[in-house]
Amino acid sequence: MMMTATPHVPNPDAIAQPLGDPLGEILHLLKLTGTFYCQSRLTAPWGVAIPGFDNVMSFAVIIGGRCWMTVGGGDPFQVEKGNLVLMTKGQKLNFRSDLDTPLLTLDELPIRKVTELYETLEFGGGGEETSIMYGIVRLDHAASGLLMQLLPEVLKIDTWTEDAGSWFQGTLQFIAREARELRPGGETVITRLADVVVIEAIRRWINTAPEANRGWLKAARDPQIGRAVLAIHRAPADSWTLETLADVAGMSRSAFSARFTELVGMPAIEYLTVWRMHLARARLLETSQPIAAISASLGYQSEPAFNRAFKRVFHMPPGQVRKTRAANS
C-alpha cells in the first residue's frame, strides 16, 4: 500500500447512513474563489487580448451587444447578449468587435481598479457598444481537479433560450443591471452572483451532456461504485481496504476492484490516496495547520509516508506548497 493509515477502521454506523446522491453531494460542496473580475464597456472598433492563466477557469457574460471570441488556438465564434461562456483550462482569450480588428493587451488599455478584485474598462472607437463581464475564478474543493480534467475546454450557454423568468436568465439580467449602474456595493453583488452562474453552468453540463457520463463522473453516478466513492469522501481518514469498500458497494472484492478501476481510471486504494492528497493540498493552502497534523487527520501515522504519497500525486513535497502559498500572500 502507498500509505500508513491510522488504526481506526471504517465506522459501520457511518457506512449504514443513507448515502443519497454521491454526485449531488460533491456538487453541493463546490465553491469558487474569485481572483479577478472586470466589467467592460467597449465601442467598435475594439480588440482585447487576455493572456492565459494556469490552474484557473475564466468566464464571460455578454451583458449587451455582440462580439467575436477566440479561445486558445481555436476558431473564432460569435457571442451576443445573454450568452455565458466558461473557459475551463485557463486558455488565452481574444475578444474583438470584428474579426479584422487589431488586438491590444491588458497593459495597453485604460483599466480602472475599483477594488482588489474588481476593475472596469471603457474603451473603443465610439461605434456599436458591447458590454462584457469577465472573471477569473478557482474551484476550491478536493473534487475540483478530478472535475476539471473532464470538463470541455469551452462551455457556452444561451440564457435567452430559457423560459421567460427562469432564475438563471433573471440572475444574468440582475448582473447586467448592477454592472450598468454600479451602485455602492455593486461589485460585491456582481462577483457573488457570477460565482453562482459559473457553478450552474458546470451543473448543467454534467446533467445534460452525453460526454459527462464517463470516468469519475460516471463512477459517482453508479449505484454501487458511487456508494464506495462517497464513503471515501465522507471518511477519508478511515483505514479502507478493498474488502471494506466492496462491502459498502455490495459487491464481491474482485468484481468491485475491476469495476472501480474501469470507471474511475485508477484502483480504489489509489483513488483513496489521491483524494486524501487533494484534501491535504486544500488544507495546506487554506489553513496554517501543521503538516504533521494534516497528515494525522487524513489517516497517516507516519509523516514521511504522507510526504511520499503527496509527492507522488503532486510531484512536489507538501512543504513546497506551503512555501508557495506564503510567497503569494
Side-chain angles (χ1 to χ4, degrees):
M1 289 180 63
M2 293 188 290
M3 74 287 289
T4 302
T6 52
H8 58 85
V9 297
N11 183 341
D13 294 333
I15 296 172
Q17 293 175 4
L19 289 177
D21 172 21
L23 187 56
E25 279 206 19
I26 293 165
L27 292 175
H28 177 72
L29 294 173
L30 289 179
K31 61 178 181 177
L32 292 176
T33 300
T35 58
F36 172 79
Y37 300 88
C38 182
Q39 163 60 28
S40 301
R41 295 179 182 178
L42 306 155
T43 56
W46 59 269
V48 177
I50 300 176
F53 299 93
D54 293 333
N55 303 315
V56 299
M57 297 190 299
S58 60
F59 70 92
V61 178
I62 312 305
I63 293 170
R66 67 188 68 221
C67 66
W68 290 90
M69 282 186 66
T70 305
V71 180
D75 295 329
F77 58 94
Q78 195 167 41
V79 289
E80 58 187 3
K81 179 181 177 181
N83 289 165
L84 166 67
V85 186
L86 178 64
M87 288 67 66
T88 64
K89 310 300 183 187
Q91 309 97 314
K92 64 180 181 180
L93 305 173
N94 294 335
F95 296 90
R96 60 180 96 195
S97 54
D98 297 289
L99 289 176
D100 58 353
T101 305
L103 296 165
L104 294 181
T105 60
L106 295 180
D107 58 3
E108 298 175 295
L109 295 167
I111 294 173
R112 182 174 72 90
K113 193 175 186 68
V114 179
T115 69
E116 287 299 315
L117 292 181
Y118 193 84
E119 298 177 348
T120 61
L121 169 64
E122 294 190 10
F123 167 72
E128 181 182 359
E129 181 176 314
T130 300
S131 295
I132 303 172
M133 173 70 181
Y134 170 77
I136 299 173
V137 294
R138 296 179 188 274
L139 269 176
D140 285 339
H141 185 250
S144 301
L146 298 167
L147 179 59
M148 292 282 282
Q149 292 173 11
L150 296 174
L151 287 171
E153 289 192 356
V154 180
L155 285 172
K156 181 184 176 187
I157 295 176
D158 180 4
T159 63
W160 299 126
T161 62
E162 306 259 323
D163 293 335
S166 74
W167 79 264
F168 198 56
Q169 186 183 109
T171 300
L172 288 180
Q173 289 173 335
F174 191 82
I175 289 174
R177 189 185 74 184
E178 287 292 327
R180 285 194 304 268
E181 300 175 4
L182 202 58
R183 297 172 293 179
E187 69 273 12
T188 301
V189 172
I190 289 171
T191 56
R192 296 297 182 270
L193 291 178
D195 291 353
V196 171
V197 298
V198 169
I199 289 178
E200 175 62 12
I202 294 172
R203 291 179 62 234
R204 287 180 178 221
W205 176 79
I206 289 172
N207 290 326
T208 61
E211 63 270 24
N213 192 32
R214 60 190 176 92
W216 177 74
L217 288 172
K218 185 175 182 179
R221 286 190 172 104
D222 186 272
Q224 292 176 297
I225 301 302
R227 290 176 60 86
V229 168
L230 189 51
I232 288 172
H233 292 184
R234 285 183 169 181
D238 285 356
S239 53
W240 295 106
T241 64
L242 271 179
E243 288 79 6
T244 56
L245 288 171
D247 287 343
V248 171
M251 302 174 69
S252 70
R253 181 183 183 277
S254 59
F256 169 78
S257 177
R259 182 156 180 78
F260 193 103
T261 301
E262 175 191 357
L263 292 181
V264 179
M266 66 181 76
I269 300 304
E270 182 181 348
Y271 180 79
L272 171 62
T273 300
V274 170
W275 185 254
R276 286 172 168 174
M277 295 307 105
H278 277 279
L279 292 173
R281 184 177 183 276
R283 294 176 192 176
L284 287 166
L285 292 172
E286 297 170 8
T287 75
S288 298
Q289 195 175 10
I291 293 175
I294 294 173
S295 168
S297 72
L298 290 172
Y300 290 83
Q301 291 178 310
S302 164
E303 187 178 342
F306 167 78
N307 290 342
R308 288 193 297 271
F310 191 95
K311 191 171 182 179
R312 275 194 296 270
V313 173
F314 292 111
H315 309 293
M316 66 175 68
Q320 187 174 338
V321 173
R322 181 63 57 79
K323 288 178 182 177
T324 302
R325 171 204 172 193
N328 294 333
S329 62

